[in-house]
Amino acid sequence: MAYLCSETFILFIISTFCFICFSSSTPFILLHGITESCNDIASTFYTSQLSRMSGAYGQCLEIGNGAFDSVTMPIENQVQVACEKVKGMNELRQGYNIVALSQGNIIARGIIELCDGAPPVKNFISIGGPNAGVANAVCAGGPWCAFGVYSDFGQSHYAPNGYVKLPNDIGGYLRGCRFLPKLNNEIPNAFNSTYKERFSSLQNLILIMFENDLIVTPKESSWFGFYQDGSYTQVLPPQQTNLYLNDLFGLQTLDKAGKIKFIKVPGFHLGMDIQELGQYVVPYLIDGGAPAPASTPTVSPVVQFSFKKKLVINDTAIGKEKLVL
């Protein structure tokens, strides 16, 4: 009897300890890319694997109906929806981390900079994000093509137009693009110090770029690098862009504090394996974990996602291989 009581007590202590460890770890949310939903393979893979490997509570945050709204809902509206959801999640009240895939990075930055009254974001892990914008206006035959990427119609009906930055039309970008110039504090005479204060308060900013990324153009946008104004050939590293030199939203502040990790991985857009997740992402999801490579798992399958589904919007077929952002 004494043995059984002792064994029960030990099991109780172990289970209580495990509960405390898990409940005290910083949770994370995952924000998926365009034409994706939280039920798609990329979203479920990243959410489940990162939660399992880190021991942290993780949840994919859905905006609207997922795939359809990720294309047709303006980015500023998507951020508003995500902001309200984040504020309503009790498990995030003490702070949380964000893991963002592709277009989800634009939503993530919107939450960090624009969401009043939201819990603090500790670490922002950006995977294949069009962070400095994309230089190609892909409309795939949609009705917005006739109106132009920076028209009111184009901005209100096609989400990616909110972060398209055409190097040969910077004036049009600053006048007509509704979201990215605001997020970057690029609009003349409209600087908002709160955006910079919030973004530069991050503990760590992890920027992961894919060496053979054919979706984010240029791929250096994942590091906040971008084409020089007026050029489609010369790509400026992040430290030579106006965003960095003028420290418009805190990029230089974070970098000089040693809080930015610029990571380049081989492969195509969003194609990471388990080993790379363990090395570059998981350490920032573990409370008190040193920002160093994690132990190498015994199995490291390469995750390759197919971007060839079709999403039909108003009888217009949009090729997903062109729109995973």
Side-chain angles (χ1 to χ4, degrees):
M1 178 67 70
Y3 173 76
L4 291 175
C5 290
S6 176
E7 183 179 35
T8 302
F9 178 74
I10 291 173
L11 290 174
F12 171 77
I13 294 298
I14 293 174
S15 62
T16 301
F17 177 76
C18 291
F19 173 78
I20 292 173
C21 288
F22 183 80
S23 61
S24 64
S25 62
T26 301
F28 72 89
I29 62 168
L30 181 130
L31 297 166
H32 62 71
I34 194 171
T35 72
E36 293 285 345
S37 75
C38 282
N39 295 322
D40 283 346
I41 182 172
S43 304
T44 55
F45 168 79
Y46 277 100
T47 305
S48 61
Q49 291 298 323
L50 291 176
S51 183
R52 178 185 65 82
M53 296 169 72
S54 67
Y57 170 83
Q59 177 179 333
C60 179
L61 189 73
E62 192 64 273
I63 298 173
N65 65 8
F68 187 88
D69 282 340
S70 73
V71 176
T72 61
M73 183 186 293
I75 288 292
E76 56 265 36
N77 293 7
Q78 293 191 42
V79 170
Q80 291 173 4
V81 172
C83 173
E84 293 306 314
K85 287 195 172 186
V86 164
K87 291 193 290 187
M89 296 174 66
N90 291 331
E91 55 269 42
L92 306 184
R93 287 185 175 179
Q94 300 304 312
Y96 66 106
N97 300 318
I98 295 181
V99 178
L101 309 177
S102 208
Q103 178 178 276
N105 286 276
I106 302 297
I107 310 298
R109 285 188 60 203
I111 294 174
I112 294 168
E113 295 184 33
L114 311 179
C115 190
D116 295 330
V121 177
K122 297 183 178 181
N123 297 317
F124 173 24
I125 302 163
S126 167
I127 303 177
N131 294 314
V134 289
N136 53 328
V138 181
C139 56
W144 42 81
C145 294
F147 293 89
V149 63
Y150 297 136
S151 67
D152 287 340
F153 185 92
Q155 289 291 307
S156 61
H157 287 80
Y158 190 48
N161 285 349
Y163 53 91
V164 168
K165 186 175 184 177
L166 301 178
N168 61 347
D169 190 12
I170 297 300
Y173 161 75
L174 293 175
R175 290 189 302 270
C177 188
R178 293 180 181 177
F179 194 69
L180 190 60
K182 176 181 178 180
L183 202 62
N184 286 345
N185 260 333
E186 292 179 285
I187 302 174
N189 304 316
F191 180 82
N192 191 315
S193 60
T194 300
Y195 302 165
K196 179 178 178 179
E197 179 182 348
R198 289 174 176 172
F199 194 78
S200 59
S201 69
L202 290 169
Q203 294 178 6
N204 291 286
L205 172 61
I206 315 305
L207 301 175
I208 299 176
M209 174 177 69
F210 294 91
E211 192 170 4
N212 298 313
D213 199 328
L214 302 177
I215 304 299
V216 176
T217 307
K219 65 178 185 293
E220 290 82 3
S221 180
S222 296
W223 282 3
F224 285 99
F226 206 71
Y227 291 117
Q228 184 177 29
D229 290 356
S231 172
Y232 274 94
T233 57
Q234 184 176 355
V235 177
L236 299 176
Q239 291 82 1
Q240 293 181 18
T241 65
N242 289 330
L243 300 180
Y244 185 98
L245 293 174
N246 296 319
D247 205 19
L248 295 179
F249 58 91
L251 197 64
Q252 183 185 134
T253 297
L254 285 173
D255 193 23
K256 288 188 174 180
K259 295 182 178 181
I260 303 183
K261 281 69 182 177
F262 297 96
I263 298 168
K264 180 165 64 174
V265 296
F268 296 93
H269 191 63
L270 300 187
M272 294 186 76
D273 62 30
I274 299 294
Q275 180 176 344
E276 289 164 341
L277 286 180
Q279 182 176 359
Y280 301 124
V281 179
V282 171
Y284 298 95
L285 299 179
I286 300 175
D287 284 1
S295 58
T296 303
T298 55
V299 179
S300 56
V302 175
V303 182
Q304 298 290 352
F305 302 114
S306 173
F307 301 125
K308 295 184 179 179
K309 294 192 298 183
K310 298 287 183 181
L311 181 65
V312 178
I313 301 176
N314 296 330
D315 297 325
T316 300
I318 301 178
K320 190 172 182 182
E321 66 275 8
K322 297 182 180 179
L323 291 176
V324 182
L325 297 167

